[in-house]
Amino acid sequence: MRVDVLGVGFDNVTMVEAVDAAAELLRADGAHYVVTPNPEIVEVCREQPQAMAAVNGADLVLPDGVGVVKGAAMLGTPLKEKTPGIEFAGHLMERMASEGKSLYLLGAKPGVAEEAGRRLTARYPGLKLAGTHDGYFQDDGPVVEDIRRSGADCVFVCLGAPKQELWMAKNGAATGARLLCGLGGSLDVFAGRVERAPEFWSKHGLEWFYRLCKEPRRIGRMMKLPLFLVHVKQEKGRRK
Ligand code: UDP
């Protein structure tokens, strides 16, 4: 059963369980997709019913950060741990490499997915790069066709939220891939264009603050974080 945080149902799994579940989905027939919402995305879902449906329609809904885990605890329905998308992706690629599976990278500015692909295949020997495409296209059709032709087992869809969730819900099955994972800005990190917060910050639940200092233009989006906490408090009051 999923843990409800303001309408988004999160799977209550550890990182190991999440990766095992994803590996299982990679073996199962049909298309599946994984999403990793943070508080900001939960707030977007509350405002956009289509985004909410796309997120809750995923086969695996993982809490990207400490915010959602805190929210769930405040509501009296704790989640086991945070499972950040980028770390989940790392473990999944390790698993895919050992099984000789292929990965397609979709998203980010032109050139980024290719660079990420070069680095990832070097870091995870055995992982096959099925193809890449940047995230700034008008028509879904040719991109879906390119993925289908590539025969990729898995696709990392990195178009930002909620674009990537809507894209996976709509196009996932047509790509022919078994698993699609919505991973936001991960390709920029894999390509070495953006740094992840040093461990100190993430360990103390302050990764968002580190990112804000590095990219002050995110302030508008980040104002959703306090809003999320206010909404959790209100929901807690309602549940009493
Ligand atoms: N992006 C894209 N197509 C778009 C809009 C965004 O490929 O139409 C990419 C953007 O280049 C970046 C990622 O999506 O690589 C979103 O990054 P952001 O840091 O906003 O995502 P988050 O991880 O915070 O969801």
Side-chain angles (χ1 to χ4, degrees):
M1 222 184 49
R2 285 184 169 167
V3 171
D4 185 292
V5 179
L6 303 182
V8 175
F10 286 88
D11 286 292
N12 189 13
V13 289
T14 62
M15 181 62 90
V16 171
E17 289 165 345
V19 177
D20 282 346
E24 199 55 50
L25 293 173
L26 262 173
R27 281 190 287 271
D29 283 339
H32 311 88
Y33 66 98
V34 182
V35 297
T36 64
N38 56 21
E40 185 189 318
I41 300 175
V42 172
E43 284 300 319
V44 169
C45 287
R46 285 166 61 86
E47 290 159 12
Q48 300 180 27
Q50 272 187 315
M52 183 68 97
V55 164
N56 281 330
D59 297 272
L60 209 47
V61 182
L62 305 173
D64 187 58
V66 72
V68 169
V69 171
K70 275 216 165 96
M74 282 165 70
L75 290 168
T77 47
L79 286 160
K80 287 179 185 167
E81 63 184 15
K82 65 173 176 169
T83 45
I86 196 153
E87 288 173 26
F88 165 78
H91 294 299
L92 183 61
M93 285 187 283
E94 248 171 54
R95 186 72 71 90
M96 287 177 55
S98 72
E99 296 177 8
K101 300 258 191 239
S102 62
L103 175 65
Y104 190 106
L105 302 175
L106 172 62
K109 302 230 166 83
V112 174
E114 285 91 331
E115 178 61 24
R118 275 190 288 278
R119 291 183 182 217
L120 293 174
T121 46
R123 194 187 312 167
Y124 303 102
L127 180 70
K128 294 183 190 130
L129 187 66
T132 59
H133 199 292
D134 68 76
Y136 295 85
F137 51 88
Q138 301 301 322
D139 289 344
D140 292 347
V143 177
V144 169
E145 192 46 37
D146 193 53
I147 299 172
R148 177 174 274 286
R149 262 201 308 264
S150 78
D153 297 302
C154 181
V155 188
F156 286 177
V157 183
C158 304
L159 306 172
K163 198 172 179 182
Q164 62 203 10
E165 287 76 14
L166 295 167
W167 199 91
M168 293 190 293
K170 181 171 169 229
N171 299 300
T175 63
R178 295 271 171 91
L179 188 66
L180 299 96
C181 307
L183 295 167
S186 301
L187 292 183
D188 297 307
V189 177
F190 293 144
R193 307 272 170 113
V194 171
E195 265 176 67
R196 258 203 100 189
E199 204 185 328
F200 168 83
W201 298 91
S202 51
K203 224 162 111 185
H204 292 85
L206 289 169
E207 184 154 8
W208 61 272
F209 183 66
Y210 180 85
R211 281 188 89 175
L212 182 60
C213 294
K214 287 262 178 183
E215 298 172 70
R217 68 184 165 78
R218 299 180 81 93
I219 186 74
R221 293 170 51 172
M222 285 191 174
M223 287 315 287
K224 288 213 156 57
L225 190 68
L227 195 63
F228 170 81
L229 291 173
V230 168
H231 287 150
V232 167
K233 284 226 165 88
Q234 286 172 345
E235 174 64 19
K236 191 179 170 186
R238 264 197 295 272
R239 284 192 194 179
K240 264 188 190 152

